[in-house]
Amino acid sequence: MNATAASRARALYDARSKRMPILPFTDDDPTLGMADGYAIQQELVALLLADGDRIIGHKVGLTSEPMQQMVGVDSPDYGPVLASTVYGEGEVIPLDRFIAPRIEAEIVFVLGSRLQGPGVTVTQARSAIAGAVAGMEIVDSRITDWRVRLADTVADLASNGAMTVSSRIVPLADLDTRLIGMTLTRNGELIDTGAGAAALGDPVAVVAWLANVLGTTGTSLEPGHLIMTGALHAAIPMTRGDVFRAEFDRLGPVTVRVGGES
């Protein structure tokens, strides 16, 4: 065990449970990189699984140019989706479960068959996908004021907070995921738009990328896993009482209602 990674993971674990942000790890050590971030993430995931949580999929973040610009990077990152963070369609999501939450609309895939890299092609990834669903992710940072560099957000489960998906699964047959358009409203007012091509040019390419990256560690994508393919727009801050609705071409709508106390 890497003692430094373990202590940093414990700091993030405490920040998550107490909802009190911590200073960026890269403040103390600006040389920290992606590999350091994943070493911390691995230790943090072990702590969360020891509490009884379980991994039901993965998120890929920083797949669109606006999100990469926000963090100042040019590469995606990834983290697990934990069962405890998934909310049902239209369910009220308590604001006090987070520190500095922001919302993103994105295309989510449901895996139909096992997929393991390296060497996975986009065609192979597409054939492994059971279908696409409309989704929204709540990103949150346990790092003060979102002052994250790549190592910080990677360590922090790729800044994952929670997610919700529609119950409607749409098969990929005759569906070009690059061309899926999306409109996002807050309290009925249009606030952003996007299209599937914002996610690495094609959301299916995100699945192939993830399978190949995870494959280097011997990890595979499993049937039933949810794969979040990244925001199609810049993340939007959330406030109590907000109702967000993302409407996707062909996939339909998904709604998030923001409440107060949990």
Side-chain angles (χ1 to χ4, degrees), residues 17-192:
S17 61
K18 298 174 183 176
R19 292 185 288 279
M20 294 290 292
I22 59 176
L23 293 176
F25 300 131
T26 52
D27 276 6
D28 285 337
D29 186 355
T31 67
L32 289 175
M34 181 177 285
D36 302 296
Y38 284 120
I40 300 167
Q41 182 189 118
Q42 184 178 17
E43 298 288 350
L44 176 58
V45 170
L47 291 172
L48 296 170
L49 296 183
D51 284 343
D53 219 331
R54 58 191 177 90
I55 294 173
I56 62 166
H58 301 270
K59 69 152 289 184
V60 181
L62 309 179
T63 57
S64 69
E65 187 173 342
M67 292 306 298
Q68 290 182 1
Q69 289 175 347
M70 186 184 84
V71 182
V73 301
D74 59 3
S75 170
D77 65 354
Y78 67 88
V81 172
L82 299 169
S84 65
T85 68
V86 179
Y87 288 82
E89 157 70 8
E91 189 176 348
V92 175
I93 299 181
L95 195 66
D96 69 355
R97 290 197 178 182
F98 310 99
I99 294 173
R102 302 175 180 181
I103 199 162
E104 304 172 349
E106 48 194 271
I107 295 167
V108 179
F109 291 127
V110 181
L111 261 289
S113 59
R114 186 173 182 269
L115 196 62
Q116 183 168 8
V120 171
T121 66
V122 172
T123 299
Q124 290 169 332
R126 185 179 179 91
S127 67
I129 295 169
V133 296
M136 280 197 274
E137 179 184 12
I138 296 170
V139 291
D140 193 23
S141 183
R142 275 57 63 166
I143 306 297
T144 300
D145 297 329
W146 276 94
R147 291 196 296 110
V148 291
R149 296 183 184 178
L150 184 59
D152 301 306
T153 186
V154 167
D156 191 18
L157 305 191
S159 299
N160 181 244
M163 68 172 293
T164 187
V165 293
S166 168
S167 59
R168 180 187 179 208
I169 301 176
V170 180
L172 296 194
D174 302 321
L175 184 64
D176 188 338
T177 54
R178 300 171 301 174
L179 304 180
I180 294 175
M182 182 279 305
T183 59
L184 179 66
T185 60
R186 178 177 55 205
N187 306 325
E189 178 183 353
L190 179 67
I191 54 174
D192 218 331

Side-chain angles (χ1 to χ4, degrees), residues 58-60 78-79 205-215 219 221 227:
H58 301 270
K59 69 152 289 184
V60 181
Y78 67 88
V206 175
V207 178
W209 178 90
L210 177 64
N212 288 328
V213 172
L214 288 177
T219 303
L221 305 181
I227 309 298

